[in-house]
Amino acid sequence: MIRMNNINKVYQTDMVQTHALRDFNLNVEQGEFIAVTGPSGSGKTTFLNIAGMLEPFSSGQYQLDGVDVGGLNDNQRADLRNQKIGFIFQGFNLIPDLNLYENVEVPLRYRGIKAAERKKRIERCLELVGLGARAKHLPQQLSGGQQQRVAIARALAGEPRFLLADEPTGNLDSLMARQVMEILEDINREGATIVMVTHDPELARRAPRNIQVVDGQLADFSLYQGRPSSAS
Ligand code: ADP
Ligand code: ADP
């Protein structure tokens, strides 16, 4: 599970300090599916980046499955990330000179998964996102929405315990967005914990738990039964 205790994140650029997260507290239990909403600039991406150990926090405690993230060195953190976390981020680009099959394969090689098992997973996941026939294509031969689906296949093929998604349906039409949501619901049923940032209220409503980030803090509707409030 994810345990964040009084996490603060301060960005310092030139003369400007931005307090992106303020005493941010959140517990996520294994198997949850959480939609994160909130105004632009409220700290949602910062929270996901910290949860995924992609950037450090300024103060506070973060435990992932009982491991104190603040106490890890770079290698330990990278290992923990590769073992446990899958990302569907807009910024997580595909490698341009690898075909779709090879792109999906990258994280599986990292994890030392054997060739036969890799092949099975890659074919299944490309099929799942409707790109089974395109395995040999390069990313540049695909539309933005199709590239997004490759990134989703890549994340799913790793069978991560935690899937962190930042606007996973942002480039997709509404039919494809619903299909992606169904894929996420399926892998959640199979045990993955999902934290998804979305601007789409329809998708957020489908998630069992909704949280809102406002000014770097959490307002948790499921805990407060519809009354927004600063949660701790
Ligand atoms: P959201 O995802 O909710 O739109 P972000 O987490 O991206 O919000 O940003 C939260 C705040 O932190 C914003 O004020 C943003 O400008 C600032 N911020 C984010 N990343 C950086 C950075 N690398 N350097 C400086 N400020 C940043
Ligand atoms: P120190 O805090 O003494 O610099 P760390 O091992 O914590 O040593 O940090 C080494 C590098 O890793 C730093 O560049 C830091 O920005 C980055 N880093 C630190 N903590 C995290 C984290 N939780 N997630 C991602 N990167 C981190």
Side-chain angles (χ1 to χ4, degrees):
M1 65 294 167
I2 288 173
R3 300 248 176 279
M4 287 191 179
N5 254 312
N6 292 324
I7 293 286
N8 283 274
K9 174 68 182 182
V10 180
Y11 290 108
Q12 179 78 53
T13 33
D14 299 324
M15 307 306 285
V16 185
Q17 253 197 6
T18 307
H19 210 141
L21 295 178
R22 297 168 186 274
D23 292 332
F24 186 91
N25 291 294
L26 178 66
N27 289 338
V28 179
E29 304 307 327
Q30 186 61 34
E32 281 203 272
F33 188 155
I34 300 184
V36 183
T37 57
S40 176
S42 60
K44 303 182 296 295
T45 298
T46 301
F47 153 64
L48 269 196
N49 285 341
I50 290 174
M53 296 175 277
L54 296 172
E55 55 176 291
F57 42 94
S58 309
S59 68
Q61 284 90 42
Y62 173 24
Q63 276 194 3
L64 178 67
D65 279 349
V67 176
D68 177 22
V69 171
L72 302 179
N73 66 29
D74 287 358
N75 285 335
Q76 293 169 324
R77 209 161 42 232
D79 285 347
L80 187 63
R81 187 191 306 120
N82 285 332
Q83 261 170 38
K84 305 242 176 189
I85 298 185
F87 296 99
I88 306 176
F89 278 17
Q90 312 234 306
F92 261 59
N93 294 324
L94 302 171
I95 301 167
D97 45 5
L98 296 185
N99 68 34
L100 305 194
Y101 186 99
E102 294 160 340
N103 263 286
V104 175
E105 192 169 31
V106 170
L108 303 183
R109 284 179 179 274
Y110 266 122
R111 289 183 198 203
I113 292 163
K114 299 230 160 55
E117 172 70 13
R118 290 203 302 265
K119 183 165 189 289
K120 208 173 79 193
R121 289 202 203 175
I122 296 165
E123 286 171 355
R124 189 173 78 100
C125 290
L126 282 176
E127 211 56 59
L128 204 60
V129 297
L131 292 171
R134 298 268 201 145
K136 295 266 170 61
H137 287 220
L138 292 173
Q140 72 207 28
Q141 296 173 296
L142 303 182
S143 71
Q146 289 170 329
Q147 292 186 27
Q148 183 102 342
R149 281 146 59 194
V150 180
I152 290 166
R154 184 180 55 182
L156 298 182
E159 298 180 359
R161 247 167 99 76
F162 295 92
L163 187 64
L164 305 180
D166 201 351
E167 298 286 355
T169 60
N171 291 322
L172 305 179
D173 65 33
S174 59
L175 175 63
M176 192 51 75
R178 274 202 301 279
Q179 288 171 350
V180 165
M181 190 64 184
E182 279 160 19
I183 294 171
L184 296 181
E185 286 166 349
D186 281 347
I187 68 157
N188 175 244
R189 270 192 291 274
E190 287 167 20
T193 305
I194 302 182
V195 181
M196 170 183 77
V197 169
T198 182
H199 278 113
D200 183 336
E202 195 189 321
L203 288 190
R205 266 197 301 276
R206 281 179 64 161
R209 181 177 172 197
N210 279 18
I211 63 175
Q212 195 177 26
V213 180
V214 179
D215 288 339
Q217 288 194 319
L218 197 67
D220 191 329
F221 294 114
S222 56
L223 280 178
Y224 289 86
Q225 297 172 332
R227 283 181 296 118
S229 163
S230 254
S232 60

